[in-house]
Amino acid sequence: MDSPFCLGERAFNDSGVVKQVAQFYQSVPFYRPTPLTRLANYARNQHIGSLLVKDESQRFSDRLKSFKATGGLYAMACCIAQKAGLPIAQLRYSQLQTPAVKRIADEITFYTATDGNHGRGVAWAADQLGTHAVVKMPAGSTRTRAQHIAAFNQTAVEITTKNYDDTVKLVTKLADQDPNGILIQDMAWPGYTKIPQEISSGYSIIVDEILKQLSADEYPTHLFLQAGVGQLSAGIIDALFSFLPPAQRPLVTIVEPATVACYYLSAQRADGDRQTVPGSPQTIMAGLNCQTPSLISFPVIRDTASYYGTLSDETARIGMRVLARPQEGDPRIVAGESGVAAFAFVNAALRDQTLRQQLKLGPASRVLVINTEGDTDEQVYQEIVG
């Protein structure tokens, strides 16, 4: 595990977007907040104040087991609303269920590249909103993840022979060639920022829930976030920091797989630009196997993260087992290979005195991590956890 190091400070959006997203989700009949789980005995034994896990494995449906649908459903709703001439600021789910809007939605096909969870969320959202999706997956994606996506009625899915970045280029081309096609990618680049920003805004419902689930004296002092392209991390930071004054903002640590750490590499170079990890890197943390930071996420993370760190696949496996077999009195949490990354990094750091000191982890520390996925590949989960 590489040692973390420090950068940043920036201005934040106001909290209006977060409130707008929350109002939309409160109009969704199947919306429920996910649990914020306290591992009290773990925290006590590790000599920190508290350890909180926001458990996105329970988001929306047991067919999803991931946070991704919060961004996909909101962004897809915004796209359909725009086609139907509905104002986004007052958008409610019932408006998307009218016969006239359903006819518009039925003409649209959303295209996306995914290593699993984003595509699963898009496929599920397509079913909810009566539209269509085409999902392409990079080489190395498991057949189980593809089958989960294909189980949704409105979606066609294929595992390609390309790496993630090249699969994104493929679906971009397909969407451009389809007169009714819309690219819905959770990554931004020059000329493509609107929909990724809507996806990132959709993730802010997680922050809205966290702030309602905590009292002010329980707000985290340390926030550990796993990053692939960085859309979730940036969305969480932007939303949380828009509500909290500087004195209450937590120290942020960005965590990535050691084999594909584009944010860590960018921070090491420290020239202000995004860096790309070359080749076709491999990791069991499939949802984080992304080689280039998202254009809109990179400046948020660059200017706010206090530390960057990496973890090995074995560190992730250990973290999964710790949550699956918790200390007596703590609840069990089902965390997948990518979902566990932030906790797994914390779990390793707490056992390393040097890292504890670098990350300023002590008896008064209130640590927050997000379990971004459950056992989205059940076979792999059982092989690791048993």
Side-chain angles (χ1 to χ4, degrees):
M1 186 165 65
D2 287 324
S3 297
F5 52 86
C6 187
L7 293 177
E9 180 60 43
R10 70 176 278 120
F12 295 91
N13 299 329
D14 63 44
S15 57
V17 173
V18 183
K19 294 175 180 176
Q20 179 179 305
V21 171
Q23 288 172 356
F24 169 76
Y25 272 116
Q26 286 159 9
S27 77
V28 176
F30 46 82
Y31 164 73
R32 299 290 184 278
T34 56
L36 184 63
T37 301
R38 291 164 171 81
L39 299 183
N41 291 321
Y42 177 91
R44 186 179 306 111
N45 291 336
Q46 295 299 326
H47 308 292
I48 56 174
S50 63
L51 193 290
L52 300 168
V53 182
K54 181 64 168 169
D55 190 4
E56 290 297 296
S57 71
Q58 301 184 48
R59 179 62 66 183
F60 289 134
S61 164
D62 59 8
R63 298 180 69 188
L64 291 173
K65 304 180 182 180
S66 166
F67 77 98
K68 286 285 190 178
T70 59
L73 181 65
Y74 182 71
M76 197 176 286
C78 289
C79 291
I80 295 170
Q82 185 176 17
K83 291 274 189 181
L86 299 173
I88 303 300
Q90 289 82 40
L91 184 62
R92 300 295 181 267
Y93 188 79
S94 59
Q95 296 173 284
L96 302 170
Q97 301 301 309
T98 64
V101 175
K102 283 280 194 180
R103 285 193 293 271
I104 294 171
D106 187 47
E107 296 175 353
I108 300 170
T109 298
F110 288 90
Y111 292 81
T112 194
T114 182
D115 39 38
N117 291 338
H118 171 64
R120 199 167 173 175
V122 165
W124 171 81
D127 266 7
Q128 308 310 308
L129 298 174
T131 187
H132 309 276
V134 171
V135 176
K136 302 292 185 182
M137 304 180 72
S141 300
T142 68
R143 190 159 299 279
T144 299
R145 291 182 184 274
Q147 289 170 344
H148 283 313
I149 296 170
F152 293 99
N153 295 328
Q154 307 285 43
T155 300
V157 61
E158 177 193 17
I159 299 176
T160 73
T161 59
K162 306 175 184 295
N163 67 17
Y164 177 81
D165 284 2
D166 288 340
T167 306
V168 171
K169 293 175 184 176
L170 171 62
V171 292
T172 302
K173 181 179 179 181
L174 293 174
D176 288 343
Q177 292 172 341
D178 184 345
N180 294 311
I182 296 176
L183 181 68
I184 183 164
Q185 202 59 44
D186 56 346
M187 176 180 182
W189 54 83
Y192 184 73
T193 59
K194 180 177 179 293
I195 290 175
Q197 186 60 65
E198 289 168 344
I199 291 173
S200 189
S201 296
Y203 296 155
S204 71
I205 188 62
I206 299 170
V207 170
D208 180 76
E209 293 173 7
I210 289 170
L211 293 177
K212 290 175 180 175
Q213 290 166 323
L214 293 174
S215 60
D217 60 357
E218 294 178 305
Y219 287 168
T221 60
H222 292 71
L223 174 62
F224 290 81
L225 294 167
Q226 53 270 66
V229 296
Q231 289 291 126
L232 171 71
S233 299
I236 296 297
I237 293 167
D238 220 357
L240 185 62
F241 282 27
S242 73
F243 279 101
L244 300 181
Q248 285 187 286
R249 292 171 184 169
L251 289 172
V252 174
T253 300
I254 299 298
V255 174
E256 298 169 281
T259 55
V260 58
C262 55
Y263 278 94
Y264 192 95
L265 177 61
S266 300
Q268 277 187 318
R269 296 277 176 88
D271 59 4
D273 292 332
R274 298 179 297 157
Q275 303 296 325
T276 296
V277 175
S280 297
Q282 298 299 311
T283 173
I284 64 166
M285 293 169 270
L288 307 179
N289 192 355
C290 305
Q291 295 165 257
T292 306
S294 171
L295 179 68
I296 59 173
S297 302
F298 178 70
V300 176
I301 292 172
R302 178 196 62 200
D303 297 345
T304 60
S306 297
Y307 303 100
Y308 298 79
T310 67
L311 72 159
S312 67
D313 285 355
E314 184 56 26
T315 300
R317 293 186 186 99
I318 292 169
M320 291 170 67
R321 294 176 191 129
V322 170
L323 291 180
R325 294 188 283 273
Q327 296 174 18
E328 186 175 355
D330 285 345
R332 177 175 182 262
I333 296 174
V334 177
E337 312 89 87
S338 299
V340 80
F343 171 79
F345 181 87
V346 172
N347 183 58
L350 288 171
R351 289 162 168 78
D352 184 314
Q353 196 58 39
T354 300
L355 282 177
R356 285 183 70 113
Q357 292 175 355
Q358 285 181 315
L359 295 167
K360 302 178 182 178
L361 291 169
S365 300
R366 298 185 297 274
V367 176
L368 171 64
V369 300
I370 300 176
N371 175 31
T372 56
E373 66 166 2
D375 55 340
T376 51
D377 189 321
E378 296 89 347
Q379 181 179 346
V380 171
Y381 181 82
Q382 289 302 325
E383 288 172 355
I384 292 172
V385 172

